[in-house]
Amino acid sequence: MIDQCSLELTPMLTIDAALLRINEAIEVISESEKITLKEALGRVLAEPVYSSINIPQERNAAMDGYAFSSSGINTKKTFILNKVGVSWAGQPFKGELLAGQCVRIFTGAVLPAEADSVIMQEHVQVDEQLIHFPVEVDLGQNIREMGEDIKQGSLLVAPLHKLTAIDMGLLASAGIEYVTVKRRVKIAFFSTGDELVGLGQALASGQIYDSNRYTLSGLLCDASYSVTDMGVIPDNRQLLQDSFLEAAQNHDVIITTGGASVGEADYVKEILSHCGTVDFWKIAIKPGKPLAFGKIGRCYFFGLPGNPVAVIVTFKYIVEPALKQLAGAPIMNRIQLTARCTSSLKKAPGRQEYQRGILSQEMNGEFLVASSGKQGSNILSAISHANCYIVLPIECSGVQVGDKVRVDLIGDTFY
Ligand code: AMP
Ligand code: MG
């Protein structure tokens, strides 16, 4: 495959081929740890969780109303029952319910053993202890059966599922206090570049603020990762090599930005091949062509390009699937939409492009997408107000107004 923009002759991998190679290289974290449910949001479950109880544990009322036994009741006529007690949520009625009797009952309260019907309070008339029921009430209704949500012994959540807020509720409803999860993926990241300056310092000529570390620390915000920010390392061979080796000792993954290209001060590939194994690629995508993937000892290494938009795109499409795989979480497919493009887009064949766009939806449901502005891989402003990528395949040679294009949402939407 030839990138016609740069007239470069080095073969480039398609993104699918690159993802496959990473996928084959990565081994899921095997260690797990037991934590409290409170700490478990976003963690990857290592063992199945079964329910030791039925939910509901007992038959209970689905409505506020009156509970009774339907036996002997003729619903063709009105009828009157004698209220003999109350079943509150948390305080069941303890007596026996006889023919001709009912109990006042509230939502979630246990049904007396003899009762099989609950009639909504709105449908009855109350005359002190006497409850008047209208004709044609629905018998056998408004009852939550024992175990209708979850049967004792059944699977609540399968392993390798990343626990969501909803799972937290589900597990708590079964009284699960502890879960066994995969240990966190340990990730170190740092920026490389002599021109980079930290926040709080004035910029001298030729300097820029290090924005990539802020982007990455945001993108790495995930309960299944434990992250070490190693700061900025200058373009110095020895310092870089020392940092790589130090990080590789106690992390599963190193992510660097900058210096991954082939400039005079781009040492990443060279050091990686010196200290570990390197699978340095040019991937046929834009932005984000130069990307170093390899291993130092047991630690995976991703050397991302320096340009800020390339960092975001390569992280989302290449690094993140790898981190999820490592963490044990299933790799999901991104939801893809087709939209009518309202901008003309320039593109040369040779690389799959992730142009930044603004997606909207018409009243008739049709999706429209417009370019979010300048598409340089240094232009953070145009990605900051974009909500999607317009994904243009390798062979595409530009888009006319009205053409249909593939769109990926920038936010995480997977299936
Ligand atoms: P490099 O890959 O080192 O050649 O960097 C490519 C471009 O990205 C250059 O314009 C760098 O100044 C810029 N760049 C590299 N690292 C960062 C960073 N951490 N924050 C912002 N821009 C960066
Ligand atoms: Mg650099």
Side-chain angles (χ1 to χ4, degrees):
M1 197 158 303
I2 305 297
D3 181 8
Q4 298 185 355
C5 302
S6 60
L7 293 174
E8 219 175 308
L9 294 169
T10 328
M12 288 192 278
L13 284 181
T14 63
I15 183 156
D16 289 343
L19 288 173
L20 196 65
R21 278 167 71 161
I22 294 176
N23 184 269
E24 281 165 359
I26 284 187
E27 280 170 42
V28 179
I29 299 268
S30 56
E31 301 98 319
S32 54
E33 57 191 352
K34 191 172 170 184
I35 58 172
T36 64
L37 182 64
K38 248 188 172 173
E39 303 166 300
L41 182 66
R43 300 297 299 271
V44 178
L45 206 57
E47 290 175 358
V49 183
Y50 297 96
S51 181
S52 62
I53 56 170
N54 280 304
I55 304 173
Q57 186 162 237
E58 294 154 286
R59 280 192 324 154
N60 67 80
M63 293 275 179
D64 290 343
Y66 293 85
F68 53 87
S69 162
S70 64
S71 103
I73 286 185
N74 178 0
T75 57
K76 297 273 177 264
K77 295 193 268 179
T78 63
F79 57 96
I80 300 171
L81 299 176
N82 191 20
K83 186 181 91 173
V84 292
V86 183
S87 188
W88 305 90
Q91 269 175 278
F93 171 74
K94 294 221 171 65
E96 193 185 346
L97 198 57
L98 304 176
Q101 296 180 340
C102 67
V103 293
R104 178 82 171 106
I105 196 159
F106 296 98
T107 306
V110 172
L111 229 67
E114 304 79 14
D116 62 5
S117 298
V118 173
I119 303 300
M120 279 170 82
Q121 62 191 23
E122 291 83 346
H123 291 172
V124 305
Q125 280 187 346
V126 179
D127 177 11
E128 300 199 337
Q129 296 306 105
L130 297 180
I131 313 300
H132 296 249
F133 293 82
V135 286
E136 294 189 340
V137 289
D138 282 332
L139 298 177
Q141 298 294 307
N142 302 325
I143 292 171
R144 299 164 173 170
E145 295 298 339
M146 181 175 95
E148 72 173 17
D149 183 1
I150 289 152
K151 297 255 178 309
Q152 187 175 35
S154 67
L155 181 69
L156 290 168
V157 187
L160 304 188
H161 177 79
K162 195 169 162 68
L163 293 171
T164 65
I166 296 167
D167 301 321
M168 301 284 282
L170 177 72
L171 295 175
S173 77
I176 304 294
E177 206 180 345
Y178 297 94
V179 286
T180 303
V181 295
K182 291 275 180 192
R183 76 149 167 82
R184 291 189 161 108
V185 180
K186 292 181 241 166
I187 304 165
F189 68 102
F190 53 89
S191 296
T192 72
D194 284 343
E195 74 279 33
L196 303 177
V197 171
L199 302 187
Q201 295 177 52
L203 291 181
S205 170
Q207 294 185 320
I208 60 168
Y209 288 115
D210 169 20
S211 62
N212 287 343
R213 241 168 358 105
Y214 286 82
T215 308
L216 274 184
S217 63
L219 292 171
L220 288 167
C221 218
D222 185 305
S224 58
Y225 310 151
S226 145
V227 174
T228 313
D229 179 347
M230 293 182 61
V232 177
I233 316 289
D235 292 315
N236 174 299
R237 213 188 168 291
Q238 193 59 50
L239 285 177
L240 278 168
Q241 180 168 315
D242 293 348
S243 309
F244 285 14
L245 291 173
E246 185 196 322
Q249 271 175 18
N250 44 14
H251 293 91
D252 304 301
V253 181
I254 300 172
I255 304 170
T256 65
T257 68
S261 191
V262 286
E264 296 283 295
D266 293 334
Y267 298 115
V268 168
K269 179 199 169 196
E270 190 191 321
I271 300 170
L272 185 58
S273 51
H274 182 69
C275 311
T277 51
V278 65
D279 223 337
F280 178 74
W281 298 329
K282 292 198 185 314
I283 303 178
I285 58 171
K286 187 178 175 185
K289 183 175 57 171
L291 191 136
F293 173 68
K295 263 184 126 175
I296 301 175
R298 298 184 57 80
C299 179
Y300 299 98
F301 185 97
F302 291 91
L304 305 187
N307 275 308
V309 180
V311 170
I312 300 167
V313 170
T314 50
F315 181 88
K316 274 287 161 187
Y317 283 90
I318 295 168
V319 182
E320 193 169 70
L323 297 181
K324 288 198 168 148
Q325 186 185 346
L326 200 54
I331 298 176
M332 318 270 261
N333 291 318
R334 204 175 284 276
I335 286 181
Q336 294 176 4
L337 304 172
T338 300
R340 185 156 54 84
C341 197
T342 59
S343 315
S344 66
L345 307 175
K346 280 195 192 152
K347 181 183 180 297
R351 289 196 268 167
Q352 176 149 301
E353 289 198 11
Y354 297 84
Q355 298 205 7
R356 280 67 73 197
I358 297 174
L359 181 74
S360 58
Q361 194 169 22
E362 294 285 83
M363 291 292 277
N364 67 6
E366 188 190 12
F367 288 111
L368 300 181
V369 70
S371 169
S372 76
K374 290 201 181 100
Q375 294 294 322
S377 60
N378 58 325
I379 309 282
L380 268 178
S381 58
I383 193 168
S384 85
H385 65 259
N387 61 3
C388 68
Y389 296 111
I390 305 170
V391 185
L392 304 175
I394 290 183
E395 63 284 358
C396 166
S397 58
V399 170
Q400 310 290 321
V401 171
D403 286 356
K404 292 278 169 100
V405 289
R406 173 188 144 190
V407 163
D408 288 356
L409 295 175
I410 284 183
D412 286 342
T413 311
F414 296 97
Y415 68 92

